[in-house]
């Protein structure tokens, strides 16, 4: 049943995603491939909308993906099941915070999972890049614009709103004047 | 000083959730002004510690922090109130927008807008990877782990969950080896 699968998948994201909101993306990406609940293009829109709306990005994306899958009820299930593991873990950990933090196994697992989460997100980025740029005819303007944004980001950490605003304007201008 | 009530916890986290725009970068100052300054039993240092711990736990960082603070204030009930408050604004705004978006997504103007935004999203991801990289790639070993998980997902298309489980096993082995060394 789709609602149960939705619950199970998002519960797993809550258990296994490490490194914050964007770290849920590799899992959302996997779901889009495995279930067809939403498309690859939806995923890109989901990231954009989630980055400019109130609330933690991870929750926004879960709500959005749930909505795409099964409407408002789907959102409710996705959101509840992604936060459930946090609730359980932290209530358990809170009782013995210091012991937990200084545990050598916990330290080693965190040491491994941080770069691992980074690698997963990088792979999703490359996949989205392939999907946006290489599946259709290669557009030099778009590549130049992306390079420009990336150089900007290397110089200074910018608010997500900035990227999305500038690129929305770029999208409107290029379709108006170049086609 | 504010009396601790579940309603109060909910409202404070609802406010924090509403002001979290464009990523979690502003959560720390928000927690300091909304929580540490308002409740006697939680200090600035506590809030910073909870936030730091939340980053090294699975799940959404803002939600993890909410559970820590809520639990400290009023045990499990407090944690539930804090989570609900944190999640409500996100939930409402996405439901509204998702509804709207599915209706207007076929308008040519909106399509060209999102075609551009797709490029912005790539830059956004690049920046997010960069942030994680700075915090996680501390030595050669960490870099190898990065490479392994990157290629496992991109080239070999391994399920992300299996990749993470392998990582946890590797972590346990490393911990065991470290524990044996004097």
């Amino acid at each position: 049943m789709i609602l149960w699968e939705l619950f199970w998948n998002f519960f797993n994201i809550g258990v296994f995603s490490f490194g914050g909101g964007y770290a849920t993306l590799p899992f959302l990406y996997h779901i889009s491939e495995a279930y067809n609940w939403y498309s690859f293009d939806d995923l890109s829109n989901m990231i954009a909308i989630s980055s400019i709306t109130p609330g933690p990005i991870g929750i926004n994306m879960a709500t959005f993906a749930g909505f795409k899958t099964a409407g408002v009820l789907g959102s409710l299930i996705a959101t509840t099941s992604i936060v459930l593991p946090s609730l359980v873990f932290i209530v358990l950990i809170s009782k013995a915070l210091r012991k937990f933090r200084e545990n050598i196994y916990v330290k080693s697992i965190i040491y491994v999972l941080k770069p691992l989460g980074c690698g997963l997100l990088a792979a999703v980025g490359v996949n989205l890049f392939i999907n946006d740029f290489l599946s259709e005819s290669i557009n030099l303007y778009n590549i130049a614009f992306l390079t420009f944004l990336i150089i900007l980001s290397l110089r200074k950490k910018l608010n997500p709103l900035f990227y999305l605003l500038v690129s929305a304007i770029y999208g409107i201008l290029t379709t108006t004047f170049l086609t | 000083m504010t009396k601790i009530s579940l309603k109060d916890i909910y409202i404070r986290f609802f406010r924090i959730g509403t002001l979290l725009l464009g990523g979690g970068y502003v959560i720390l100052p928000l927690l300091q002004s909304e929580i540490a300054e308002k409740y006697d039993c939680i200090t600035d240092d506590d809030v910073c510690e909870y936030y730091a711990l939340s980053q090294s736990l699975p799940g959404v960082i803002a939600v993890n922090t909410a559970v820590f603070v809520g639990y400290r204030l009023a045990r499990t009930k407090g944690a539930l109130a804090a989570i609900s408050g944190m999640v409500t604004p996100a939930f409402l705004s996405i439901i509204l927008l998702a509804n709207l978006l599915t209706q207007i997504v076929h308008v040519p103007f909106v399509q060209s807008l999102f075609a551009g935004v797709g490029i912005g999203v790539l830059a956004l991801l690049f920046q997010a990877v960069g942030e994680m990289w700075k915090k996680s790639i501390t030595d050669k070993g960490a870099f190898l782990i990065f490479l392994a998980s990157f290629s496992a997902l991109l080239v070999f298309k391994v399920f992300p969950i299996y990749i993470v489980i392998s990582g946890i096993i590797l972590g346990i082995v490393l911990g065991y080896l470290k524990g044996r060394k004097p």
Side-chain angles (χ1 to χ4, degrees):
Chain A
M1 190 183 157
I2 195 169
L3 293 181
W4 165 252
E5 282 180 328
L6 193 67
F7 169 83
W8 182 239
N9 274 286
F10 279 86
F11 183 82
N12 276 319
I13 298 180
V15 175
F16 291 111
S17 75
F18 266 80
Y22 288 113
T24 62
L25 268 175
F27 298 89
L28 295 176
Y29 163 77
H30 169 69
I31 290 174
S32 85
E33 273 194 329
Y35 293 96
N36 279 326
W37 288 338
Y38 45 84
S39 72
F40 222 69
D41 291 331
D42 287 334
L43 202 62
S44 176
N45 293 350
M46 251 154 41
I47 301 168
I49 298 278
S50 301
S51 305
I52 56 167
T53 40
I57 289 185
I59 298 299
N60 291 344
M61 290 197 295
T63 310
F64 207 128
F67 185 84
K68 277 274 170 197
T69 310
V72 177
L73 184 62
S75 302
L76 208 59
I77 290 173
T79 310
T80 312
S81 46
I82 203 175
V83 302
L84 199 57
S86 294
L87 184 69
V88 176
F89 277 145
I90 291 172
V91 167
L92 288 177
I93 290 168
S94 287
K95 296 184 201 291
L97 210 51
R98 188 140 299 133
K99 242 186 182 168
F100 172 81
R101 215 179 16 188
E102 276 152 20
N103 183 291
I104 188 135
Y105 288 100
V106 171
K107 276 187 184 165
S108 304
I109 291 173
I110 290 170
Y111 166 81
V112 174
L113 289 187
K114 279 190 170 174
L116 186 142
C118 184
L120 292 183
L121 186 61
V124 172
V126 172
N127 264 321
L128 272 181
F129 175 79
I130 293 170
N131 182 59
D132 282 6
F133 283 83
L134 305 182
S135 57
E136 294 156 39
S137 58
I138 294 174
N139 179 331
L140 282 181
Y141 293 105
N142 289 353
I143 297 216
F145 181 63
L146 177 65
T147 314
F148 164 74
L149 287 181
I150 282 177
I151 289 170
L152 263 186
S153 80
L154 287 174
R155 296 178 66 97
K156 193 171 178 291
K157 190 178 153 189
L158 295 161
N159 192 305
L161 288 169
F162 168 81
Y163 291 113
L164 300 175
L165 193 67
V166 173
S167 55
I169 296 170
Y170 168 84
I172 294 163
L173 290 180
T174 43
T175 37
T176 317
F177 294 109
L178 296 178
T179 47
Chain B
M1 220 12 109
T2 320
K3 201 172 110 256
I4 299 171
S5 76
L6 292 183
K7 192 180 150 208
D8 195 62
I9 296 175
Y10 178 85
I11 291 172
R12 285 187 188 285
F13 276 98
F14 185 94
R15 267 212 293 263
I16 296 173
T18 311
L19 295 172
L20 274 186
L21 270 165
Y25 310 118
V26 290
I27 190 171
L28 209 48
L30 283 174
L31 283 169
Q32 282 166 342
S33 66
E34 281 290 323
I35 305 294
E37 282 175 24
K38 297 298 188 315
Y39 293 111
D40 263 338
C41 59
I42 293 192
T43 63
D44 264 12
D45 284 350
D46 289 335
V47 163
C48 288
E49 191 191 335
Y50 289 150
Y51 179 64
L53 267 171
S54 297
Q55 290 182 314
S56 33
L57 288 169
V60 179
I61 294 171
V63 171
N64 292 346
T65 319
V67 181
F68 271 124
V69 174
Y71 185 79
R72 173 77 173 269
L73 290 172
R75 304 286 121 175
T76 310
K77 275 184 202 157
L80 276 172
I83 283 198
S84 320
M86 181 65 99
V87 161
T88 312
F91 190 76
L92 293 179
S93 52
I94 291 292
I95 297 272
L96 284 176
L97 264 174
N99 239 327
L100 184 72
L101 194 71
T102 31
Q103 281 162 24
I104 61 169
V105 78
H106 303 293
V107 179
F109 177 79
V110 176
Q111 277 181 340
S112 57
L113 191 149
F114 271 104
V117 165
I119 301 172
V121 165
L122 286 175
L124 204 60
L125 283 185
F126 183 84
Q127 182 168 283
V129 171
E131 287 296 307
M132 286 168 92
W133 177 282
K134 268 187 253 166
K135 285 181 197 155
S136 63
I137 314 291
T138 46
D139 54 23
K140 240 183 226 161
F143 178 67
L144 285 178
I145 294 165
F146 169 89
L147 274 187
S149 73
F150 177 76
S151 43
L153 185 62
L154 186 69
V155 184
F156 303 106
K157 307 216 177 285
V158 182
F159 286 8
I161 289 175
Y162 295 157
I163 301 175
V164 175
I165 291 174
S166 324
I168 293 173
I169 294 170
L170 177 62
I172 292 172
V173 172
L174 288 179
Y176 177 73
L177 293 177
K178 255 186 228 163
R180 284 183 61 184
K181 258 185 248 165

